[in-house]
Amino acid sequence: MTEYIAIGFFLLVSLGFASAALLLSRMVAAKGRHGKDTLEPYECGEPSHGSSRIRFQPGYYLIALVFMIFDVETLFLFPCAILAKKIFKGELPEISPQFFAIEIGLFVGILFIGLIFVWRRRILRWE
């Protein structure tokens, strides 16, 4: 029964926090006392030119997705580098250095295969 009390308490606190945030934003927000410039998108102080509803080529999205994939995969290598330092110094004897090297080699190999796939499909071409 105490679990339900804790869940109810957290539910009330979260609803209260969300309501307070919405109320505060409504109190602080501009109320139409400005001109029509208030409704335009902000472009670093410059007046906007044309519509913001323009079409992008799918290549931009593909390049962004490939960048995100390789960026996140590269972030996984930083903890592995710290762990490798400890393993090869002998601070973690329960992990074999050969097994760790093979495991990281497979990881980087899969990344390399993905890069070759993307390269052959010409996704990285900027036209």
Side-chain angles (χ1 to χ4, degrees):
M1 187 66 176
T2 59
E3 295 89 11
Y4 292 118
I5 293 172
I7 291 172
F9 175 73
F10 285 122
L11 183 64
L12 285 175
V13 169
S14 62
L15 287 175
F17 181 74
S19 300
L22 288 172
L23 181 68
L24 184 65
S25 69
R26 182 163 301 263
M27 289 173 33
V28 175
K31 302 221 179 1
R33 59 181 179 257
H34 304 288
K36 69 174 190 161
D37 295 338
T38 306
L39 302 176
E40 289 188 16
Y42 179 69
E43 294 185 10
C44 301
E46 295 292 320
S48 56
H49 301 287
S51 173
S52 61
R53 304 277 184 190
I54 60 174
R55 289 184 174 216
F56 288 99
Q57 293 180 359
Y60 297 129
Y61 297 111
L62 289 174
I63 288 173
L65 282 173
V66 169
F67 171 76
M68 289 301 298
I69 289 169
F70 284 109
D71 192 39
V72 169
E73 299 289 335
T74 304
L75 285 177
F76 284 132
L77 289 176
F78 284 110
C80 291
I82 294 170
L83 190 62
K85 182 179 176 182
K86 291 181 180 181
I87 289 172
F88 289 114
K89 278 187 175 179
E91 295 176 12
L92 296 172
E94 61 271 4
I95 301 174
S96 167
Q98 293 84 11
F99 178 74
F100 184 77
I102 291 170
E103 194 173 342
I104 296 301
L106 283 173
F107 181 74
V108 172
I110 291 170
L111 281 178
F112 189 69
I113 290 170
L115 180 63
I116 290 172
F117 175 76
V118 167
W119 194 293
R120 291 191 141 217
R121 298 272 319 240
R122 298 179 186 224
I123 294 175
L124 297 178
R125 284 182 71 133
W126 191 269
E127 295 178 5

